[in-house]
Amino acid sequence: MSGPSLAKAQNISPYVPLANLAAGGMAEVTLCVKRDGRFERLYALKRPLPQFRLDPGFREMFLDEARVAGVVHHANAVGVVDFGEDQDGLFLAMDFVEGVSVAHLLSAVMPKTSLLPVQACVTIASQAARGLHAAHEAKTADGHPLHIVHRDVSPRNILVGYDGVVRVADFGIAKALGNAFRTSTGILKGSLGYMSPELLKFQTPDRRSDLFSLGIVLFELLTRERLYTHTESAIAPHRILNEAPPDAGEFREDLPPELVELLFEMLAKNPDDRPPTAEQVAQRLESILHLLAAEEGAFDLSSFLAEQFGEEREKLRSDIQRQLASLREAPNQSREEARPEQLDAVSQVSLHRRSWAKPFIGIVALSLVGVVAWGEMGDKGKPIEGATQRAMAPASKPRNPEARGVQNVWAGAWHSCATRQEQLFCWGKNGDGQLGEGTYGDRGEPYPVPLHDVSMASGGNFHTCAVKQGGQLYCWGRNTEGQLGLDPAKVPSAPQPTPLPTMTDVIAFDAGDFASCAVRRDGSVWCWGKLLPEGQPPPPAFSPRGAPRRMPGLDDAIAVSVSESHACALLRAGTVLCWGSNTHGELGSTQQNFSPTPLAVPGVSGVIQVGTGAGFTCTLSSRNRVSCWGDNSTGQLGIGAATRVAREPRTIEHLDGVSQISVSDAWACARHASDQVKCWGNGTWGNLGNGGLDMQYTPVRVQQLEDAIWLTTGSQHACVRRKTGALACWGLNSSGQLGDASGESRTIPVSPTTPPPL
């Protein structure tokens, strides 16, 4: 790999420090000037922190960054222009970009409740795509492709210059073929909320991984909302791996359908479903921009920035000129005497590995952990003077009150729930108040639940639970077995959402038949309700009734699945532990028929999803293959009719490329990366969606369904969210669980009534 080479500098560095810009977890960045006679140029100089300067591994990583960034030459990428070592150690000299990061743009443009102009968002994303394509296409001096992947595309690493040029920054963890320093196995580097599924699975990423991350950034630009929040916990990776891509059209009415469709493709879980190159993304965005310009007039990004940040820019320029003037007055000042100072109205930003200070308006620079901005100006909460109505007119439109479709859907035993604009709606069986709308009558159409800001939900036999954005868990419905986490003697049922006081930091959970389990932010698993079969005394490790209790031996979980008689937890390492009944080998163990404590399932690794049914268990691996074990009396393992019980995991043949699984009582379904759905097992209620009413021992395709992006199954019915935001359900409809108000069961998908707009 060609690029800047390491060369010892003279005793005195040519870079004179002006101001400390940032200190991160591993490096610090200083604004410097390089003077040659009357010629002066500003640079952002990055250096390792003192404690890392002698570390061989870190030095090699620093060298890698210089080599990678040094070969990327493009107007839309920030490159390393110089690299060396002086008396203070290694340094990288980078172009100094006068502008703001996308992260700062999102947080600072006023008013914060307004949306950014669509043309601004598309312009930024298209130029960033051009910069990424330049990196992806970079070659060695002798013409060999380097296969560079940025791996950390996020709002803080995309700089928007005041000149209207967008630049991709910080190749600190970028990887190229032949790099000497490589990421340690099992260690994620980058911004969790912007990582692609393949990075989270520890698979080798290619250029399409960066397109997934860019899609998240574009979604955030268009909506001014984080797509995958809770980046400090396991919930962001879990959502990225398992949650359906969002429909940006639900958030604003002025998006061209071509842009919505492109976002769906960029956010596809399977890289094969994404655009092949960043250049193609740029071309499609530029085409969309051309159409918008024809309708609305041309958009000038530099003018937009000037209107938003003009005063701050001029004040900072004045401060820098004052610093330079003082240097000119003392031309013989030594480098040791030229200590970096903090400019007027500039606050030094102290960064930690995962906690960032509040972003500032002003000039941006690069650091090893990302892009930081400094120099806050203006009154907090007040619109910046000079912002015009024209610049913000497209952004001032409210969210479309008739926004189409839903965000997600979850099936309980005989009821279903879905979110639309974070409002929860439920329909179906309601004899125990499991719909959460305050009554005990069944509903054949979606009805609003008094619970907003819902991020995920799950339904059991007669109860439902949901988690709000902040991690607070609510449950409602029957509580005779303690499945709501409340004392059943005092609260036999609750027809409206009731918070569990101790479950305030939930990142994943599942409502089983008569019990519930939740994963908290620290990786611990807590369960409550009745988990074991009748007549079997519960061991001390379980809480058969009442308040949640912590499960032993589970300290690093990211997901949990609960059935009537057993449960399983997925650990961050990709392993699975199960506990409870083992009558059919559903724990993956051949040694005992019951275990009160979690047992590791042998032969299972690289798992990204686990599901439990009645006497059987299935997993989805990072290789997109499905394995099942346990009872196969009705074909629920999908491995054919010859085997009635499998006490060890068996991979389902001819079922690859799977993106999601959903496991139910005696059947299961898988969503393919092509957005088709296949089901197997007991289909006597039409729940396999193949037009029949029989058992299937191997997967069969759900008819008339080619665009499913989220899948959920109940006891005898299933629902999916389609790309358009519409729902499709099939199977038993005795309680209205299909949501089409007909009460008629269906053997192929039918569209439920769309929840009313908010």
Side-chain angles (χ1 to χ4, degrees), residues 646-660:
R647 292 185 175 272
E648 296 178 351
R650 299 277 297 274
T651 300
I652 300 179
E653 299 296 331
H654 310 298
L655 186 66
D656 52 10
V658 174
S659 299
Q660 182 194 2

Side-chain angles (χ1 to χ4, degrees), residues 328-565:
R328 297 184 192 112
E329 292 174 0
N332 297 322
Q333 183 183 26
S334 68
R335 183 182 181 278
E336 289 75 9
E337 294 171 327
R339 299 298 181 188
E341 298 178 2
Q342 214 54 54
L343 305 181
D344 290 348
V346 176
S347 300
Q348 183 171 349
V349 181
S350 178
L351 305 180
H352 304 283
R353 292 180 188 270
R354 281 185 161 183
S355 62
W356 286 77
K358 177 180 179 291
F360 296 93
I361 298 174
I363 297 176
V364 291
L366 308 179
S367 74
L368 194 61
V369 291
V371 178
V372 297
W374 51 276
E376 182 176 19
M377 302 292 172
D379 296 329
K380 295 179 180 179
K382 295 182 180 179
I384 297 175
E385 185 177 353
T388 65
Q389 288 297 319
R390 181 205 172 279
M392 295 303 296
S396 62
K397 295 180 181 179
R399 287 186 181 181
N400 181 9
E402 298 293 330
R404 63 191 184 278
V406 299
Q407 293 162 296
N408 244 327
V409 59
W410 301 272
W414 299 283
H415 69 289
S416 308
C417 295
T419 50
R420 184 179 185 185
Q421 297 177 358
E422 286 79 42
Q423 162 75 54
L424 189 66
F425 295 82
C426 295
W427 61 95
K429 191 174 184 61
N430 194 36
D432 292 271
Q434 56 262 51
L435 298 189
E437 36 77 276
T439 72
Y440 292 92
D442 295 355
R443 292 188 178 275
E445 295 179 308
Y447 196 84
V449 179
L451 195 65
H452 300 266
D453 300 322
V454 172
S455 62
M456 49 186 166
S458 179
N461 275 3
F462 309 104
H463 76 292
T464 309
C465 294
V467 173
K468 297 188 69 171
Q469 292 290 351
Q472 173 68 65
L473 181 68
Y474 291 75
C475 294
W476 57 93
R478 181 187 291 185
N479 192 44
T480 53
E481 290 81 24
Q483 56 262 62
L484 303 188
L486 306 171
D487 185 350
K490 297 179 180 179
V491 185
S493 68
Q496 288 189 327
T498 303
L500 275 70
T502 59
M503 297 290 107
T504 59
D505 56 352
V506 174
I507 63 169
F509 76 100
D510 190 36
D513 291 3
F514 304 102
S516 303
C517 291
V519 181
R520 301 182 68 172
R521 187 164 287 115
D522 61 0
S524 61
V525 177
W526 299 70
C527 297
W528 57 95
K530 184 178 180 181
L531 185 62
L532 306 182
E534 291 289 347
Q536 199 166 11
F542 291 95
S543 173
R545 299 181 186 276
R549 290 187 185 176
R550 184 169 182 168
M551 289 299 303
L554 297 174
D555 300 315
D556 198 23
I558 60 173
V560 64
S561 181
V562 186
S563 73
E564 179 181 5
S565 58

Side-chain angles (χ1 to χ4, degrees), residues 467-715:
V467 173
K468 297 188 69 171
Q469 292 290 351
Q472 173 68 65
L473 181 68
Y474 291 75
C475 294
W476 57 93
R478 181 187 291 185
N479 192 44
T480 53
E481 290 81 24
Q483 56 262 62
L484 303 188
L486 306 171
D487 185 350
K490 297 179 180 179
V491 185
S493 68
Q496 288 189 327
T498 303
L500 275 70
T502 59
M503 297 290 107
T504 59
D505 56 352
V506 174
I507 63 169
F509 76 100
D510 190 36
D513 291 3
F514 304 102
S516 303
C517 291
V519 181
R520 301 182 68 172
R521 187 164 287 115
D522 61 0
S524 61
V525 177
W526 299 70
C527 297
W528 57 95
K530 184 178 180 181
L531 185 62
L532 306 182
E534 291 289 347
Q536 199 166 11
F542 291 95
S543 173
R545 299 181 186 276
R549 290 187 185 176
R550 184 169 182 168
M551 289 299 303
L554 297 174
D555 300 315
D556 198 23
I558 60 173
V560 64
S561 181
V562 186
S563 73
E564 179 181 5
S565 58
H566 80 293
C568 295
L570 171 61
L571 302 190
R572 191 184 303 273
T575 56
V576 174
L577 283 78
C578 300
W579 65 96
S581 175
N582 195 36
T583 305
H584 304 283
E586 54 263 49
L587 302 189
S589 171
T590 60
Q591 299 178 356
Q592 57 200 82
N593 289 329
F594 168 78
S595 176
T597 56
L599 300 176
V601 179
V604 170
S605 62
V607 174
I608 60 174
Q609 191 181 354
V610 61
T612 55
F616 76 109
T617 307
C618 292
T619 60
L620 174 63
S621 75
S622 59
R623 297 181 180 273
N624 306 107
R625 300 300 302 273
V626 179
S627 298
C628 301
W629 59 92
D631 185 15
N632 193 41
S633 58
T634 62
Q636 55 265 59
L637 300 190
I639 58 174
T643 302
R644 306 298 289 180
V645 173
R647 292 185 175 272
E648 296 178 351
R650 299 277 297 274
T651 300
I652 300 179
E653 299 296 331
H654 310 298
L655 186 66
D656 52 10
V658 174
S659 299
Q660 182 194 2
I661 60 172
S662 187
V663 180
S664 193
D665 285 357
W667 60 293
C669 294
R671 180 173 59 84
H672 194 270
S674 64
D675 300 330
Q676 294 182 352
V677 174
K678 292 185 178 181
C679 300
W680 60 93
N682 189 352
T684 54
W685 304 278
N687 47 295
L688 301 187
N690 65 331
L693 298 170
D694 53 4
M695 298 180 188
Q696 294 290 336
Y697 285 83
T698 56
V700 293
R701 188 171 65 85
V702 176
Q703 296 184 14
Q704 301 180 17
L705 188 64
E706 306 287 342
D707 61 346
I709 57 174
W710 180 260
L711 165 69
T712 182
T713 57
S715 286

Side-chain angles (χ1 to χ4, degrees), residues 146-307:
L146 289 170
H147 304 288
I148 293 173
V149 182
H150 189 287
R151 297 170 31 123
D152 195 19
V153 178
S154 64
R156 70 189 186 200
N157 287 338
I158 298 176
L159 310 185
V160 186
Y162 289 134
D163 56 1
V165 178
V166 178
R167 301 164 176 88
V168 178
D170 200 345
F171 289 84
I173 63 169
K175 291 295 169 185
L177 219 58
N179 271 19
F181 184 85
R182 299 189 180 275
T183 304
S184 301
T185 302
I187 298 176
L188 291 175
K189 292 187 176 184
S191 305
L192 278 180
Y194 299 90
M195 282 188 179
S196 65
E198 51 268 32
L199 274 174
L200 293 171
K201 297 176 187 177
F202 298 102
Q203 297 173 346
T204 301
D206 59 23
R207 63 176 66 194
R208 296 169 298 178
S209 177
D210 287 341
L211 301 187
F212 184 91
S213 302
L214 183 61
I216 299 176
V217 175
L218 177 55
F219 179 90
E220 192 168 336
L221 278 165
L222 291 168
T223 65
R224 291 191 81 171
E225 291 192 10
R226 289 287 298 272
L227 177 53
Y228 298 113
T229 56
H230 306 292
T231 55
E232 297 295 332
S233 68
I235 192 170
H238 181 74
R239 290 180 62 200
I240 290 171
L241 290 171
N242 299 292
E243 191 173 280
D247 184 351
E250 295 178 0
F251 291 79
R252 57 190 297 175
E253 62 181 349
D254 54 346
L255 298 185
E258 297 88 350
L259 182 57
V260 175
E261 182 62 27
L262 177 58
L263 263 176
F264 269 125
E265 294 179 26
M266 294 175 71
L267 294 173
K269 308 298 184 187
N270 189 333
D272 292 338
D273 296 329
R274 299 175 205 149
T277 67
E279 182 179 42
Q280 185 183 108
V281 170
Q283 291 172 346
R284 292 173 65 177
L285 288 171
E286 289 161 1
S287 176
I288 293 169
L289 195 62
H290 179 74
L291 294 175
L292 290 171
E295 296 176 359
E296 305 171 0
F299 180 85
D300 188 341
L301 184 59
S302 60
S303 297
F304 175 75
L305 293 176
E307 291 168 339

Side-chain angles (χ1 to χ4, degrees), residues 709-724:
I709 57 174
W710 180 260
L711 165 69
T712 182
T713 57
S715 286
Q716 294 102 24
H717 78 288
C719 293
V720 298
R721 180 187 184 272
R722 312 184 81 147
K723 273 188 176 181
T724 60

